[in-house]
């Protein structure tokens, strides 16, 4: 390493002294993959190995680009990915430096999901912030537990080498899958499946097309991977084809992560025409589509999947948490073997499989007529509650687009002012900011969950919500163009 002392006062992370500057030739040695992902991965390896200790000053983007014979934009994309993980820190004119050790990363501010669900007390009269189903509408577990106990399911408890997916559950799921899946896998909930799929197919510096707004944990997962989310905006029919085309052509998106129905937070569901339009955009690309059908069972909209037109590049994830119970921790992923097998093989080195006893419980509930009736009744009741609140808001002059599932996306003049107004009335809601891909959304929103509305005076609630939509901040906020 070339010994050169960095001499920029105040340019380094707190408590980290300036150290040697690695020469260009040393920094770029063995960087055979000169894509943004390859460059980011190579620098990340040097940081993790200690070859680039905290405080090391990196050469400029232009210097690295010239050495590697790539464009500055390519290196800049890699630098952005590294910065997103905290691996490097830009200090303006002072330069770019290796960040603090990974052990201290946990001390950073909480992610979007933590911002969405901060610790709180019971001071609120009504809590519409959670995004979870009404426990009273879930089917009972007792009958299913009794049945599996009475029918020799106990042998599953000692089976290390059995099928990871119960064959009977696989057959039941395949019967109404939106396309013919070559492989099925069971995971510990939808987020577990999404996490493992992203980790298996997204690398440092990759770009991923995501709906805007979208479920905040998706953005947290991408940040942890050092991937860059590219927003794809929505209309009443689903993600906009023009935005998806731009994400692929201009930003090189390798994955499209989406929710095909009852999209969280907007409630939007794909139309048949939009499926065709999105499939046409992706037909001649290698983009992997990951679909999160998080509201299966309680969504009223028909399930439409890009897998019906792109079966070799689509992994569809179906969750049973909102319909049958979150503590089952069950989701099924189906798609091509070449996309799922690496994820399944990696999982065998850790958790191995999802409890077959829980799979048996779900299988029993899927075939139990009382459970089926309970899920159907819950779907109808959520639709009724959402419709009642929309109609009450419309009488107050507030129009909320009709969606599906348990959430409404309420437009407001100012997010913070609206939340303060509602808090004063004893109403807790979810801020819209964590759902937005960009830092400067065109307009402000709140997410409302309708599942807790049983026994609530909807006219009173609509009055308070309507007042919140026009609440003005006590300060002047200037939006960037």
């Amino acid at each position: 390493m070339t010994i050169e002392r960095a001499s920029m006062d105040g340019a380094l992370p707190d408590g980290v002294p300036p150290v040697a500057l690695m020469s260009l030739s040393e920094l770029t040695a063995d960087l055979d993959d000169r894509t943004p992902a390859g460059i980011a991965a190579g620098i990340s390896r040097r940081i993790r190995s200690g070859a680039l200790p905290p405080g090391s000053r990196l050469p400029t983007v232009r210097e690295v680009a010239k050495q590697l014979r790539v464009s500055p934009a390519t290196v800049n994309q890699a630098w952005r990915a590294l910065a997103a993980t905290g691996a490097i820190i830009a200090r303006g004119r002072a330069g770019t430096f290796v960040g603090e050790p990974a052990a201290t990363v946990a001390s950073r501010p909480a992610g979007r999901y933590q911002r969405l669900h901060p610790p709180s007390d019971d001071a609120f009269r009504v809590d519409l912030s959670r995004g979870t189903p009404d426990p009273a509408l879930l089917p009972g577990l007792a009958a299913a537990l009794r049945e599996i106990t009475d029918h020799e399911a106990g042998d599953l408890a000692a089976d290390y080498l059995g099928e990871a997916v119960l064959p009977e559950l696989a057959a039941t799921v395949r019967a109404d899958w939106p396309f013919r899946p070559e492989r099925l896998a069971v995971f510990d909930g939808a987020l577990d499946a999404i996490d493992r799929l992203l980790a298996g197919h997204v690398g440092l510096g990759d770009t991923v097309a995501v709906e805007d707004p979208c479920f905040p944990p998706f953005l947290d997962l991408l940040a942890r991977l050092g991937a860059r989310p590219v927003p794809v905006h929505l209309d009443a029919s689903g993600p906009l084809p023009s935005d998806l085309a731009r994400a692929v052509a201009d930003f090189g998106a390798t994955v499209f992560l989406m929710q095909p129905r009852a999209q969280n937070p907007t409630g939007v569901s794909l139309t048949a025409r939009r499926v065709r339009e999105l499939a046409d955009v992706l037909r001649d690309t290698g983009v992997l589509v990951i679909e999160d059908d998080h509201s299966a069972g309680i969504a009223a909209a028909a399930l439409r999947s890009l897998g019906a037109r792109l079966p070799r590049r689509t992994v569809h994830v179906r969750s049973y948490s909102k319909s049958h119970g979150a503590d089952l921790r069950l989701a099924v992923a189906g798609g091509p073997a070449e996309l799922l097998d690496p994820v399944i093989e990696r999982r065998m080195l850790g958790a191995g499989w999802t409890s077959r006893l829980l799979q048996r419980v779900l299988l029993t509930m899927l075939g139990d007529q009382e459970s089926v009736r309970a899920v159907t009744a819950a779907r109808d009741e959520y639709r009724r509650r959402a419709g009642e609140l929309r109609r009450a808001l419309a009488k107050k002059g507030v129009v909320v687009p009709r969606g599906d599932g348990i959430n409404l996306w309420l437009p407001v003049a100012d997010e913070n002012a609206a939340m303060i107004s509602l808090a004063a009335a004893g109403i807790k809601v979810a801020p819209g900011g964590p759902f937005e891909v960009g830092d400067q959304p065109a307009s402000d929103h709140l997410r409302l969950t309708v599942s807790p509305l049983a026994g609530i005076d909807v006219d009173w609630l609509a009055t308070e919500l309507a007042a919140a939509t026009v609440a003005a901040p006590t300060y002047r906020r200037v939006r960037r163009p």
Side-chain angles (χ1 to χ4, degrees):
M1 180 180 289
T2 300
I3 303 300
E4 256 186 65
R5 302 298 295 181
S7 59
M8 284 64 63
D9 293 339
L12 300 178
D14 294 340
V16 178
V19 296
L21 171 68
M22 178 175 276
S23 70
L24 267 174
S25 58
E26 291 172 309
L27 184 71
T28 58
D30 302 323
L31 287 181
D32 297 326
D33 183 353
R34 300 187 178 187
T35 64
I39 296 170
I43 300 300
S44 179
R45 284 194 299 271
R46 285 161 171 71
I47 294 172
R48 292 196 306 271
S49 70
L52 279 172
S56 298
R57 183 187 177 195
L58 298 175
T60 68
V61 167
R62 290 190 178 279
E63 289 171 338
V64 176
K66 183 176 181 181
Q67 179 75 11
L68 293 176
R69 297 183 180 179
V70 298
S71 72
T74 297
V75 178
N76 195 44
Q77 188 174 345
W79 257 228
R80 282 198 305 267
L82 289 164
T85 67
I88 65 174
I89 299 174
R91 298 285 172 172
R93 293 182 179 180
T96 301
F97 301 85
V98 175
E100 72 273 20
T104 68
V105 169
S107 65
R108 290 183 192 149
R112 290 170 181 258
Y113 202 35
Q114 284 69 33
R115 287 163 49 202
L116 187 63
H117 298 293
S120 62
D121 53 30
D122 297 325
F124 292 93
R125 175 181 173 184
V126 178
D127 188 349
L128 307 180
S129 70
R130 295 180 178 274
T132 55
D134 183 347
L137 297 180
L138 293 170
L141 292 172
L145 291 172
R146 283 196 300 270
E147 181 168 338
I148 66 169
T149 301
D150 295 340
H151 289 79
E152 300 181 0
D155 61 322
L156 296 172
D159 192 352
Y160 280 84
L161 302 177
E163 294 285 343
V165 182
L166 287 181
E168 305 96 317
L169 179 60
T172 299
V173 168
R174 285 180 185 276
D176 65 347
W177 206 253
F179 58 96
R180 182 174 295 178
E182 185 179 8
R183 184 78 74 243
L184 289 176
V186 177
F187 294 95
D188 299 338
L191 269 182
D192 179 47
I194 301 297
D195 182 17
R196 294 178 185 277
L197 286 164
L198 290 176
H201 295 287
V202 175
L204 194 66
D206 286 352
T207 54
V208 176
V210 294
E211 295 166 316
D212 188 15
C214 74
F215 191 38
F218 293 169
L219 301 174
D220 288 341
L221 290 173
L222 294 176
R224 292 285 182 178
L225 292 170
R228 180 186 179 193
V230 178
V232 178
H233 296 94
L234 303 159
D235 64 12
S237 299
L240 295 175
S242 58
D243 278 16
L244 180 59
R246 179 172 173 266
V248 175
D250 296 350
F251 295 97
T254 58
V255 173
F256 179 32
L257 177 56
M258 63 168 297
Q259 297 179 329
R261 58 179 170 177
Q263 197 263 354
N264 188 358
T266 65
V268 167
S269 298
L270 281 174
T271 63
R273 178 177 179 179
R274 186 54 50 87
V275 169
R276 294 193 298 270
E277 293 170 340
L278 295 173
D280 287 344
V281 169
L282 299 178
R283 190 171 310 282
D284 296 326
T285 73
V287 172
L288 162 63
V289 179
I290 300 176
E291 297 178 335
D292 172 24
D293 187 22
H294 62 97
S295 288
I298 64 167
L303 174 58
R304 296 185 173 93
S305 167
L306 269 67
R309 291 178 173 268
L310 302 171
R312 301 304 308 169
R313 295 204 307 278
T314 302
V315 176
H316 184 80
V317 179
R318 176 181 295 175
S319 169
Y320 296 89
S321 295
K322 291 186 177 67
S323 57
H324 291 77
D327 213 37
L328 286 176
R329 308 308 303 140
L330 286 176
V332 180
E338 65 176 328
L339 296 176
L340 276 169
D341 282 352
V343 177
I344 295 169
E345 291 167 7
R346 173 63 184 87
R347 193 185 189 210
M348 289 304 297
L349 301 176
W353 66 91
T354 293
S355 168
R356 301 183 194 93
L357 289 172
L358 292 178
Q359 292 184 48
R360 180 72 68 180
V361 172
L362 175 62
L363 174 65
T364 302
M365 296 176 76
L366 291 175
D368 175 65
Q369 290 305 307
E370 189 64 31
S371 295
V372 171
R373 283 192 291 270
V375 171
T376 302
R379 179 193 66 202
D380 295 342
E381 177 61 13
Y382 291 137
R383 191 174 188 180
R384 187 197 67 78
R385 292 179 188 179
E388 184 181 15
L389 182 55
R390 279 198 311 272
R391 288 190 293 273
L393 285 168
K395 291 179 181 179
K396 311 292 182 183
V398 179
V399 177
V400 179
R402 182 173 182 174
D404 197 3
I406 62 175
N407 298 307
L408 296 179
W409 192 230
L410 179 70
V412 296
D414 183 271
E415 175 186 305
N416 291 331
M419 292 191 67
I420 293 170
S421 172
L422 291 171
I427 302 168
K428 185 179 181 182
V429 296
F435 296 88
E436 304 282 358
V437 178
D439 294 330
Q440 296 290 332
S443 58
D444 283 7
H445 289 80
L446 302 176
R447 190 196 67 178
L448 315 177
T449 301
V450 302
S451 55
L453 292 185
I456 300 297
D457 183 341
V458 174
D459 185 66
W460 162 80
L461 178 61
T463 299
E464 297 296 343
L465 290 171
T469 63
V470 294
T474 57
Y475 57 90
R476 185 180 176 216
R477 183 171 60 167
V478 179
R479 291 189 180 277
R480 296 174 186 173

